[in-house]
Amino acid sequence: MDDAALQAMADHAVAWCRSNGLQVLESSAPGAVGTRPVPLSLLPAALPAAELRRCFSVAPTYSALVDRVARDGDWLRETLAPVRGSDAFVARLLDAHAEADGDDDGRLMLGLHRSDYMLHDPVAPGGGGGARIKQVELNTVASSFGGLSSLVSRLHAHLLRRFRRASDGAAPGIAAVLGANR
């Protein structure tokens, strides 16, 4: 895919996002009205099935770890105490946690976790090795964009249908994604 076709796809994606509500406010300032498309990949990424299964298999372990940390309020407050003075957001979270810590018997909690991954394909001497998924972030607070995933899927499907011909001669990664969805 040449640069002009890629730019046309990006411009079309921005227009689609604006037409379909896939946007966020430009600023959180009171009275802000400007919007921009949410951060997203222009096309879906083809992931090796074995690596995706590996992500699914470790998710319960990460969730259990987060749960254990969240249930140990004393340890959590002690560990984050040095940050409290310099980060107002963390201070508010710690206050909310301390307030909620004694509200029930501790048996029932809701955890909303979002893990972010990147595909890492090291160039191994002699070739091979293959792409591996690496977890780059685990969010327990910033899970808001998860609700937009169905819109992002619709955008990707639309772009793949509309720009199928432009994919001829595309870079291998783009061609694989477009080819898998023909």
Side-chain angles (χ1 to χ4, degrees), residues 8-9 38 81 93 102 140:
M9 184 186 284
V38 298
L93 287 176
T140 57

Side-chain angles (χ1 to χ4, degrees), residues 24-124:
V24 293
L25 286 175
E26 285 281 355
S27 167
S28 60
V33 293
T35 62
R36 62 179 171 77
V38 298
L40 52 79
S41 61
L42 190 55
L43 293 171
L47 301 174
E51 289 300 297
L52 189 57
R53 283 191 297 276
R54 194 168 62 88
C55 290
F56 291 152
S57 73
V58 300
T61 303
Y62 279 120
S63 292
L65 174 63
V66 169
D67 183 67
R68 294 276 309 268
V69 168
R71 289 180 188 273
D72 192 345
D74 293 337
W75 178 86
L76 187 61
R77 286 186 291 275
E78 179 184 323
T79 301
L80 294 175
V83 180
R84 172 186 277 284
S86 60
D87 189 322
F89 180 69
V90 169
R92 287 193 309 274
L93 287 176
L94 287 171
D95 290 342
H97 189 273
E99 186 176 321
D101 204 19
D103 280 354
D104 64 12
D105 59 13
R107 289 184 296 148
L108 182 63
M109 293 179 79
L110 172 64
L112 298 176
H113 307 158
R114 185 194 82 216
S115 293
D116 296 344
Y117 300 92
M118 294 184 78
L119 196 57
H120 179 68
D121 195 1
V123 179

Side-chain angles (χ1 to χ4, degrees), residues 16 22 145-156:
W16 192 96
L22 194 53
F145 281 5
L148 300 177
S149 61
S150 62
L151 277 176
V152 173
S153 293
R154 284 180 44 212
L155 167 65
H156 286 161

